[in-house]
Amino acid sequence: MTYHIELDAPLDRQVALIASDQAGKARHALLGGIDDRDEAIHEARKRFKKLRGLYRLVRPCAGDFYDAENAYLRDAARNLSVIRDAAALVETIDRLRDDPAHEGVVDDLEHVRARLVERRDAIAEQGGDLDDAMADAVAACEATMEAAGALDLKLDPDEAAACLADGMTKTYKRGRKALGKARKSGDPEQWHEARKRMKYHAMHCRLLRHAWPGSMRLRARQAKTIADLLGDDHDLAVLAALADDEPDQVGDKGPRASLSHAIGLTSERLRSEAVALAEPMLADKPKRLRAAVAALCRLAA
């Protein structure tokens, strides 16, 4: 099943179908459907994020369900994150090393990369806890399918349309606010918050693409591009924090200085590109967007 809601069908049944599909794919990956363990974990975490995006969309009419399932999936994904996060740092240094803007410090970045590979491999060798985390995540997938199947919203088409419009608008509004705060403060955590909201907005546009096909597809692509740019920026912030807090994990003083400079330049570029894309996409007032989405969902139903 593709990741979209059929608006002429009962909303709770659509949520159950999509949730079962995403949880089933995560379960399949964790149980050996993907041979490489790191890739299997990465795939499962992506599916968990899509599940949380789905539940966030219907939160206005399923608050208790959202609270329980979102927390459960968040914790399951977090427990899988250690080895994936270590691998992501190696991918981050690879992007820096391959950027022509940093060709003058490639040797220093290679030095840092070697340290990060050692760190990743050492974490991967401590596999006991990860095996337990993967087993817990499989159980979470199975529990998710069961809980979604029991969801009973009892909504008429107008109520379902209002629920979806409210859920989408809430995330959109929070995304506008987070981006504004990030631009003012420069705080990496605020940029990360903006990234999460854009990621969810992209998911909501995909889920509702049958309401407004051309516009929703375009918004989904734009929001995903913004989220990807800010995701790369967040990876840089995590790497910078590791260099500050645990310098021995990163390398010698000279390479660390080169790393810091490369991170600063790249982060500034990524944020500028994200803002340039976000400004026109976030220009609509939330009330106007909500009214349009509600009307189009009612029409599609």
Side-chain angles (χ1 to χ4, degrees), residues 206-224:
R206 286 189 63 192
L207 287 163
L208 296 181
R209 65 181 178 269
H210 284 185
W212 197 0
S215 180
M216 287 296 188
R217 289 178 188 275
L218 176 60
R219 291 184 75 94
R221 288 196 297 268
Q222 289 176 319
K224 183 181 183 302

Side-chain angles (χ1 to χ4, degrees), residues 62-115:
D64 291 342
F65 173 81
Y66 167 82
D67 290 342
E69 292 301 305
N70 181 62
Y72 192 33
L73 290 167
R74 180 195 61 216
D75 292 344
R78 183 180 295 157
N79 291 338
L80 289 173
S81 68
V82 175
I83 187 170
R84 177 58 202 164
D85 290 349
L89 290 183
V90 176
E91 295 166 11
T92 300
I93 198 69
D94 285 345
R95 289 194 295 272
L96 285 176
R97 179 198 59 189
D98 296 340
D99 187 336
H102 311 313
E103 61 182 358
V105 293
V106 167
D107 288 345
D108 282 350
L109 296 179
E110 283 286 4
H111 174 85
V112 174
R113 185 185 190 280
R115 292 293 185 93

Side-chain angles (χ1 to χ4, degrees), residues 175-188 190-191 194 230 271-272 274-280 282:
R176 293 175 93 224
K177 184 177 181 179
L179 189 63
K181 285 185 175 181
R183 294 181 67 182
K184 287 181 180 179
S185 69
D187 182 357
Q190 289 292 346
W191 285 106
L230 295 181
R271 293 176 182 181
S272 295
V275 168
L277 286 172
E279 282 183 333
L282 298 177

Side-chain angles (χ1 to χ4, degrees), residues 279-297:
E279 282 183 333
M281 195 193 73
L282 298 177
D284 284 333
K285 297 294 185 183
K287 287 184 179 179
R288 183 173 180 269
L289 180 68
R290 189 217 171 273
V293 171
L296 290 163
C297 286

Side-chain angles (χ1 to χ4, degrees), residues 198-278:
M198 288 298 97
K199 192 79 170 177
Y200 285 132
H201 186 60
M203 292 177 193
H204 292 174
C205 291
R206 286 189 63 192
L207 287 163
L208 296 181
R209 65 181 178 269
H210 284 185
W212 197 0
S215 180
M216 287 296 188
R217 289 178 188 275
L218 176 60
R219 291 184 75 94
R221 288 196 297 268
Q222 289 176 319
K224 183 181 183 302
T225 299
I226 295 164
D228 289 345
L229 289 167
L230 295 181
D232 289 348
D233 179 63
H234 178 64
D235 290 340
L236 293 173
V238 173
L239 181 53
L242 179 67
D244 288 341
D245 298 341
E246 302 178 58
D248 290 345
Q249 296 277 0
V250 175
D252 299 333
K253 185 176 181 180
R256 290 202 309 271
S258 296
L259 174 66
S260 178
H261 182 67
I263 286 175
L265 287 177
T266 305
S267 178
E268 183 177 359
R269 175 179 59 79
L270 291 169
R271 293 176 182 181
S272 295
E273 290 179 10
V275 168
L277 286 172

